[in-house]
Amino acid sequence: MTTPAHVAIIMDGNGRWAKARGLPRLAGHRAGVEALRQSVKTASKLGIAWLTVYAFSSENWSRPQSEVSDLLGLLKLFIRRDLAELHRSGVRVRVIGEREDLQPDIRGLLDEAESLTVGNRALNLVIAFNYGGRDEIVRAMRKIGADVEAGRIAPASITPETISDALDTSGIPDPDLVIRTSGEMRLSNFLLWQAAYSELIFLPCFWPDFTPEQFEDALRQFSVRERRFGGRIERDVVSSSA
Ligand code: IPE
Ligand code: IPE
Ligand code: MG
């Protein structure tokens, strides 16, 4: 079975999971953090090198203030409680998304998570927080624009690599597989540039119900997908001995 090197997950459906149980949305988000902990363990066990999780989008600020502060609180709690354990397990944490405008305490925690785990090699956990694909591309274009203006690069020398290198995900391989839970079939501004040739799997379950078995099953589905990247599969070509 071909294991994807990089799996990216849109952890969606916490609110509906809670609603179906007559619970407040916060209970769904808490259960979502538990599913995240499980998934990090499963990813390590299955030998996945990179796991990216969509934790909070640049558009999620438009939710009611109380839910936004619940989500920020859970992120802080997750890092405070789980960082030591992640570090012990050899997990390297990286954070993508806009960081400048975040509250200083959150920025501090994100910086700490990255610097503490920088030497770890077991699993790379990429947390997309205050992340939006379009926002990321805009920030990358500003950097490139400044380089052009300063005469450091010529517009004609800009390549896809120039853009990849200017994104938050610089140095991270593109995701091979993107999984979204909750039955929604859209990217919601996740890894727009990077997911150009990713395989997509949409699962009906809500994120808190995502189990290690479902994770493994998604990898099985991935392993039988035929990725062509716009090219041709050689076995279709009849070889000629002439
Ligand atoms: C995903 O669950 C968590 C975040 C977006 C932060 P939702 O909160 O979007 O749950 P639904 O989609 O409303 O059920
Ligand atoms: C995407 O889910 C963002 C995260 C999972 C963090 P949303 O619930 O925000 O997406 P939409 O609004 O359904 O597109
Ligand atoms: Mg949602």
Side-chain angles (χ1 to χ4, degrees):
M1 192 170 106
T2 336
T3 303
H6 184 176
V7 178
I9 305 184
I10 303 173
M11 310 184 289
D12 194 23
N14 295 348
R16 280 164 283 168
W17 180 92
K19 191 166 187 229
R21 285 163 178 74
L23 297 169
R25 291 180 67 88
L26 175 58
H29 293 313
R30 286 203 181 113
V33 174
E34 201 41 57
L36 168 62
R37 288 194 181 103
Q38 269 295 347
S39 300
V40 171
K41 287 189 188 132
T42 307
S44 293
K45 199 186 100 198
L46 299 176
I48 292 166
W50 296 86
L51 176 69
T52 297
V53 292
Y54 203 5
F56 191 89
S57 78
S58 47
E59 285 73 38
N60 286 148
W61 298 104
S62 66
R63 294 190 181 196
Q65 173 60 44
S66 60
E67 183 170 2
V68 169
S69 64
D70 284 346
L71 288 166
L72 300 186
L74 278 178
L75 174 85
K76 288 193 251 183
L77 200 67
F78 174 71
I79 295 186
R80 288 202 187 108
R81 283 215 187 137
D82 290 51
L83 184 58
E85 165 70 16
L86 291 169
H87 185 43
R88 260 197 309 278
S89 320
V91 175
R92 178 177 179 183
V93 178
R94 272 189 61 170
V95 182
I96 56 170
E98 210 283 323
R99 226 180 292 189
E100 301 292 303
D101 295 338
L102 292 176
Q103 301 162 8
D105 60 336
I106 295 187
R107 278 188 65 171
L109 281 170
L110 300 179
D111 293 346
E112 184 194 335
E114 288 186 333
S115 54
L116 178 71
T117 62
V118 71
N120 292 344
R121 292 289 172 271
L123 165 76
N124 291 280
L125 173 64
V126 183
I127 301 174
F129 187 82
N130 191 22
Y131 175 87
R134 287 184 171 180
D135 174 70
E136 180 193 34
I137 291 169
V138 166
R139 287 183 289 107
M141 291 309 118
R142 287 185 184 147
K143 278 186 236 166
I144 295 170
D147 283 343
V148 168
E149 194 176 35
R152 286 188 290 269
I153 50 173
S157 70
I158 295 172
T159 62
E161 284 68 39
T162 318
I163 295 174
S164 291
D165 290 346
L167 295 171
D168 297 346
T169 49
S170 170
I172 299 176
D174 287 341
D176 301 292
L177 169 63
V178 176
I179 299 172
R180 181 173 189 150
T181 57
S182 92
E184 308 296 352
M185 297 189 201
R186 55 177 171 262
L187 288 175
S188 300
N189 208 9
F190 190 44
L191 301 177
L192 296 182
W193 172 272
Q194 299 85 341
Y197 273 104
S198 302
E199 294 298 320
L200 309 178
I201 293 184
F202 297 101
L203 300 175
C205 70
F206 296 136
W207 173 248
D209 290 329
F210 183 71
T211 60
E213 292 70 36
Q214 277 167 310
F215 202 159
E216 284 192 59
D217 191 57
L219 296 198
R220 264 191 295 276
Q221 282 187 53
F222 169 84
S223 72
V224 295
R225 294 273 180 97
E226 195 171 83
R227 303 182 79 188
R228 288 191 288 274
F229 301 97
R232 278 168 53 176
I233 298 291
E234 280 313 305
R235 63 178 157 69
D236 293 341
V237 181
V238 180
S239 64
S240 137
S241 51

